[in-house]
Amino acid sequence: MISANDIRLKYLNFYKARNHAVIPSAPLVPENDPTVLYTTAGMHPLIPYLLGQPHPAGNRLVNVQKCVRTNDIDEVGDAFHHTFFEMLGHWSLGDYYKKEALAFTFELLTQVFEFDPQSLSVTCFAGDLDAPKDEESSSIWQSLGIPKDRIYFLPKEDNWWGPAGVTGPCGPDSEVFVDLTKKSCGPNCQPGCSCGRFCEVGNDVFMQYNKTSSGKYELLPKPNVDNGTGLERNLALINGFNDNYLTDLWQPAVKLLENITNREYSDNKREFRIVVDHLRAAIFIIADGVFPSNKERGYILRRLIRRAVLKLHLFVPDPLLPSLEVANVFIAQMSPVYPELNSQKDLIKKTLADEVGKFSKTLDRGLREFNKIKKLDGKAAFDLFQTFGFPWEITIEMAKQNKQTLNYQEFETEFKRHQQLSRTASVGMFKGGLQDQSEITTKYHTATHLLHKALRIVLGDHVQQKGSNITSERLRFDFSHSDKLTSLQTQKVEEIVNQKIIDNLTVSRAEQSKSQALSQGALAFFVEKYPDQVSVYTIGPEENWFSKELCGGPHVNSTGEIGGIKIIKEESAGAGIRRIYAQLTK
Ligand code: SER
């Protein structure tokens, strides 16, 4: 069997021999694109370079990139969809263009991956008001030996890629498909047909446009080539499998599940695939710093873990150990390629165990209630959610499993009615238990100022803020410092912050000139970012303040409101930069 590692190496070596520099995979959490939750393609971390900025490694690049596509969650369970996948990708940043790009693709697919040239069909962009028909690619394909009757011109929905988020580089593309069955399902059977005859094995995007926030396509200074292809799918096809899960990427985990559950994969394909796919995605996501939560990235993670647990629960009474065992298999198998899995292994296991444990309890209770329900309507589904914390998507999943239908509208009506009721009920209530999200983020914001100062006390005045990111679940703070913090240093920092919280210092805001504030010792993230007149937050009495920072706020009125913090992780965030994650303890 050809292994995933063989393919990674063959791909990288092919492009290395054609002067492409190998670059590492970027993290799954995009660093500069707030419009998407996860890195969805190899081009994603390269957006600034596709827009024209020079890349330090040159203008021909290649890599294997970790990706997560959340719109595929519900598709997982079939033979070739995944939430986490590895993308083999290479780029020409304003260097070679269509002719070389398509010739490379053809050579790789036919000589290295050894697909039969007779089984390949290609598609090209049909043209519209934004860009012309791509006759050029079609004639290049013909010169490479693909006959006209296997070249299809398709519209934007099929043959245009990007932008990855809302704005950014994009353009027409040309895709290559392997004909798996050579059997047409009807007169319109062509690449992209849902009958499953054609499988995409490569995509060259000719990134020559930048889509602006007003929806316009502007020409980029230099056209680029962005090529990407899924490792999992190619690996299966190269081995002659029509199921990705039969490859060495998945078999160890699948076999383990067979042992744990005493069932055969062949009889439980959908459930097994969901379990291994979702747990693999979850460990990679956790390794890149995401925690389960009820919002955005954390919610995707939570959904993946819950769905895996739900499926495991069909086979074993307690999913905790099986999920950890599956996670262990992936950590051991994939950390030679992605060492972060090994360095974050304790955090991964702890986070996974906590979430699985919590959800298993909800699940046990919810399932008992679910089984008591005589008529599964929107109200019953809402009650399960409201009273037992049983998530809506799990109710749908259960309904599917039991071949029942569920009306989402009914659930939504019930949900809205309830929201209305609780809004009315909360008028005049004490704030107490009704903490909203902005209150929590405000606490985190003030905690960040305390943390910044505490780090300077413990590590020295070279500590400067390099970045900050707050969610309702945690704060993340990046700062200049070259060495890993010792556990004693971390403990000291945490103690100082918590002491200042216990001291219940007042937090006050004043408008001042920037120069005056700076001369008093106020800290600023980017000095040049601020206007001449700035707002300054001071923690502690004016004559003996603890922290002073240029900042737009908002902040709590006194530090006691924060309750307490705990540093949950410290890691590198690049050369000379450390990153701290902390959570509120109350
Ligand atoms: N960005 C394109 C894709 O994701 C090619 O890399 O298919």
Side-chain angles (χ1 to χ4, degrees):
M1 184 166 22
I2 298 175
S3 70
N5 228 16
D6 291 338
I7 297 300
R8 287 191 198 99
L9 284 177
K10 280 182 189 220
Y11 184 83
L12 293 175
N13 287 338
F14 178 85
Y15 284 99
K16 233 165 53 180
R18 283 152 189 79
N19 297 327
H20 290 65
V22 180
I23 56 168
S25 170
L28 279 174
V29 177
E31 283 176 341
N32 295 309
D33 188 348
T35 67
V36 291
L37 294 178
Y38 288 105
T39 301
T40 57
M43 58 71 70
H44 205 162
L46 295 173
I47 289 175
Y49 311 104
L50 291 161
L51 290 173
Q53 195 176 304
H55 192 285
N59 50 17
R60 290 181 179 213
L61 310 173
V62 60
N63 84 351
V64 183
Q65 171 65 45
K66 305 184 280 188
C67 300
V68 165
R69 289 200 178 164
T70 53
N71 48 352
D72 285 342
I73 293 185
D74 291 326
E75 310 285 340
V76 174
D78 68 11
F80 53 82
H81 273 94
H82 306 297
T83 40
F84 168 91
F85 68 99
E86 292 171 84
M87 186 180 273
L88 308 169
H90 65 272
W91 296 272
S92 155
L93 301 174
D95 190 42
Y96 60 82
Y97 206 43
K98 294 186 183 178
K99 192 156 172 259
E100 292 90 329
L102 296 181
F104 287 160
T105 299
F106 189 71
E107 193 184 343
L108 177 92
L109 293 176
T110 56
Q111 309 289 315
V112 183
F113 290 179
E114 296 182 21
F115 289 119
D116 173 6
Q118 304 306 319
S119 74
L120 300 182
S121 301
V122 303
T123 61
C124 302
F125 182 51
D128 64 8
L129 291 176
D130 297 319
K133 183 173 178 183
D134 193 1
E135 297 283 9
E136 193 186 347
S137 293
S138 164
S139 32
I140 299 169
W141 282 123
Q142 289 175 55
S143 73
L144 291 167
I146 305 278
K148 256 187 172 169
D149 63 349
R150 284 195 266 126
I151 301 179
Y152 298 82
F153 284 95
L154 300 179
K156 212 181 222 127
E157 300 84 72
D158 304 283
N159 274 74
W160 186 279
W161 205 90
V166 179
T167 57
C170 55
D173 64 26
S174 184
E175 300 181 6
V176 187
F177 290 81
V178 173
D179 188 339
L180 296 176
T181 62
K182 304 236 165 70
K183 277 197 204 95
S184 164
C185 71
N188 296 326
C189 191
Q190 59 182 32
C193 180
S194 59
C195 74
R197 174 180 162 193
F198 295 98
C199 188
E200 186 199 324
V201 285
N203 184 9
D204 278 288
V205 187
F206 304 115
M207 294 212 153
Q208 42 186 320
Y209 299 99
N210 176 29
K211 188 174 182 188
T212 65
S213 49
S214 60
K216 279 216 287 265
Y217 293 93
E218 285 173 354
L219 270 182
L220 288 170
K222 280 192 194 159
N224 312 288
V225 180
D226 154 40
N227 177 296
T229 185
L231 168 70
E232 288 75 359
R233 181 180 296 188
N234 273 283
L235 180 64
L237 292 177
I238 290 167
N239 279 295
F241 297 140
N242 58 3
D243 177 350
N244 290 3
Y245 295 86
L246 298 178
T247 66
D248 75 320
L249 277 175
W250 300 100
Q251 276 298 297
V254 167
K255 292 245 162 69
L256 174 79
L257 264 193
E258 287 187 320
N259 284 340
I260 295 175
T261 60
N262 233 344
R263 313 272 174 125
E264 300 285 330
Y265 167 66
S266 49
D267 302 331
N268 300 281
K269 284 187 182 158
R270 185 166 184 275
E271 289 71 25
F272 271 43
R273 288 167 178 166
I274 292 175
V275 171
V276 294
D277 171 274
H278 286 13
L279 288 175
R280 185 176 83 149
I283 65 166
F284 272 95
I285 290 175
I286 299 169
D288 277 352
V290 179
F291 295 95
S293 77
N294 284 331
K295 277 192 61 203
E296 302 173 346
R297 278 184 197 114
Y299 187 59
I300 299 284
L301 173 59
R302 178 159 276 171
R303 252 182 91 185
L304 291 170
I305 298 176
R306 283 175 170 179
R307 203 148 166 254
V309 170
L310 182 73
K311 296 299 170 203
L312 270 172
H313 205 272
L314 295 171
F315 307 121
V316 292
D318 184 355
L320 182 63
L321 274 180
S323 31
L324 288 174
E325 285 180 47
V326 173
N328 272 334
V329 165
F330 284 123
I331 293 172
Q333 177 186 333
M334 298 193 76
S335 52
V337 185
Y338 301 101
E340 62 275 22
L341 291 181
N342 193 39
S343 60
Q344 304 294 346
K345 121 173 137 237
D346 294 343
L347 180 84
I348 296 174
K349 289 197 222 161
K350 183 176 180 318
T351 310
L352 189 62
D354 283 355
E355 187 65 17
V356 172
K358 246 192 283 174
F359 183 60
S360 301
K361 283 204 197 91
T362 309
L363 191 60
D364 280 339
R365 218 171 21 175
L367 287 177
R368 273 200 301 277
E369 295 307 315
F370 184 94
N371 292 330
K372 284 188 209 153
I373 295 173
K374 292 205 172 54
K375 184 171 173 298
L376 184 62
D377 55 13
K379 163 124 182 33
F382 181 76
D383 285 345
L384 275 177
F385 165 74
Q386 169 68 12
T387 320
F388 302 99
F390 204 60
W392 162 250
E393 69 270 10
I394 300 295
T395 306
I396 299 182
E397 197 77 32
M398 288 298 301
K400 260 197 232 157
Q401 237 157 255
N402 297 356
K403 309 225 167 355
Q404 289 164 294
T405 48
L406 239 180
N407 183 333
Y408 180 65
Q409 294 267 284
E410 277 178 18
F411 177 84
E412 217 185 7
T413 313
E414 202 52 42
F415 191 76
K416 290 218 172 98
R417 200 176 67 84
H418 177 82
Q419 268 184 331
Q420 197 60 39
L421 280 178
S422 43
R423 243 181 245 131
T424 321
S426 66
V427 176
M429 246 189 182
F430 291 112
K431 259 191 3 293
L434 291 173
Q435 237 172 12
D436 73 7
Q437 127 93 25
S438 60
E439 243 177 286
I440 297 177
T441 50
T442 304
K443 289 181 186 179
Y444 273 122
H445 200 165
T446 312
T448 301
H449 284 213
L450 293 176
L451 179 67
H452 191 179
K453 182 58 190 266
L455 284 165
R456 287 169 69 92
I457 295 174
V458 175
L459 304 174
D461 282 348
H462 62 278
V463 168
Q464 290 244 356
Q465 175 173 350
K466 289 289 169 204
S468 161
N469 174 288
I470 290 170
T471 70
S472 56
E473 310 294 324
R474 53 111 183 104
L475 68 81
R476 189 181 82 198
F477 187 70
D478 294 350
F479 56 99
S480 45
H481 184 66
S482 46
D483 299 328
K484 182 167 177 51
L485 270 65
T486 62
S487 50
L488 201 66
Q489 286 170 327
T490 315
Q491 195 188 335
K492 193 91 203 112
V493 169
E494 195 178 279
E495 268 169 24
I496 296 178
V497 174
N498 284 326
Q499 187 56 51
K500 296 299 158 188
I501 292 173
I502 293 169
D503 293 348
N504 199 15
L505 303 174
T506 45
V507 182
S508 52
R509 177 177 177 276
E511 297 279 339
Q512 281 184 296
S513 77
K514 182 160 77 175
S515 52
Q516 193 190 5
L518 293 175
S519 69
Q520 286 177 357
L523 301 175
F525 181 14
F526 282 130
V527 175
E528 55 288 1
K529 217 176 70 176
Y530 297 94
D532 289 341
Q533 193 66 13
V534 292
S535 114
V536 178
Y537 275 90
T538 305
I539 303 181
E542 194 51 54
E543 60 291 353
N544 181 25
W545 50 264
F546 175 70
S547 144
K548 228 184 224 304
E549 282 199 39
L550 270 61
C551 176
H555 284 279
V556 297
N557 295 320
S558 52
T559 55
E561 290 170 42
I562 302 170
I565 69 146
K566 172 138 195 60
I567 295 178
I568 48 175
K569 196 169 145 196
E570 191 272 344
E571 64 183 14
S572 160
I577 300 179
R578 305 298 302 177
R579 172 170 288 181
I580 276 183
Y581 290 89
Q583 284 180 322
L584 296 178
T585 49
K586 286 176 195 150

